[in-house]
Amino acid sequence: MIARVSVTLKPSILDPQGTTIHQALESLGFKGVKRVRMGKLIEIELQGGSKAAAKKEVERMCQKLLANPIVEMYRIEIK
Amino acid sequence: MIARVSVTLKPSILDPQGTTIHQALESLGFKGVKRVRMGKLIEIELQGGSKAAAKKEVERMCQKLLANPIVEMYRIEIK
């Protein structure tokens, strides 16, 4: 089973990396970009078990290690 | 319109960041993790236009700036 965890900054937190990408895209001539936000993608391959149990386990991983709840939020997809 | 770009290392490329997360998860007592791969998630907010045109535009952004085609691959989702 594969869990895809997307960790992104909370909307209220400044994202200098995203701003830099935005500026780089504009200087390359890409018009119509309103905003860029940068985040992390963590793909975790898990052994067997049920989808519900996997989601719970990955939720605990996020709380303990993968995300910083002060400034980040996360979304988990199980495939 | 929001484009979500996932940039991940090609499967044949070593991923020391993923390995470190894997080891940290194990040392925290998480069993049953087979593999961890780390990637980047770039959310781009675009002005108007059609989904097909947006995908084409973001594809060009990936080729020109967002991904390194030698070692990385990318996936684009338009919402």
Side-chain angles (χ1 to χ4, degrees):
Chain A
M1 210 174 320
I2 304 266
R4 287 185 76 205
V5 183
S6 313
V7 180
T8 49
L9 288 168
K10 288 184 181 172
S12 58
I13 306 291
L14 281 181
D15 176 10
Q17 234 181 326
T19 306
T20 305
I21 293 175
H22 190 172
Q23 288 165 350
L25 287 172
E26 281 186 340
S27 75
L28 284 170
F30 290 102
K31 309 285 178 211
V33 177
K34 278 165 75 181
R35 209 168 55 117
V36 179
R37 300 285 285 178
M38 180 85 189
K40 287 176 285 183
L41 180 75
I42 304 155
E43 285 188 348
I44 303 170
E45 204 178 320
L46 295 159
Q47 257 156 0
S50 74
K51 267 195 168 188
K55 186 156 188 179
K56 228 175 194 168
E57 183 83 343
V58 174
E59 188 107 29
R60 283 185 52 234
M61 290 177 191
C62 287
Q63 285 158 5
K64 284 207 163 184
L65 180 75
L66 304 178
N68 173 353
I70 314 276
V71 292
E72 291 172 330
M73 53 192 191
Y74 56 86
R75 188 176 46 229
I76 301 167
E77 291 164 74
I78 308 279
K79 284 186 199 171
Chain B
M1 209 174 319
I2 304 266
R4 287 185 77 206
V5 182
S6 314
V7 180
T8 48
L9 289 168
K10 287 183 181 174
S12 58
I13 305 293
L14 281 179
D15 177 10
Q17 233 181 326
T19 307
T20 304
I21 294 175
H22 190 172
Q23 288 165 352
L25 286 171
E26 281 184 340
S27 75
L28 284 170
F30 291 102
K31 309 287 179 209
V33 177
K34 278 165 75 181
R35 211 168 53 115
V36 179
R37 300 285 286 178
M38 181 85 188
K40 287 176 285 184
L41 181 74
I42 304 155
E43 285 188 349
I44 303 170
E45 204 179 319
L46 295 159
Q47 258 158 358
S50 74
K51 266 195 170 189
K55 188 155 188 180
K56 230 175 193 168
E57 183 83 342
V58 175
E59 188 107 28
R60 284 185 50 232
M61 291 178 190
C62 287
Q63 285 158 5
K64 283 210 165 182
L65 179 75
L66 304 177
N68 173 353
I70 314 275
V71 293
E72 291 172 330
M73 53 194 190
Y74 56 85
R75 189 175 44 230
I76 301 167
E77 291 164 75
I78 308 279
K79 284 186 199 172

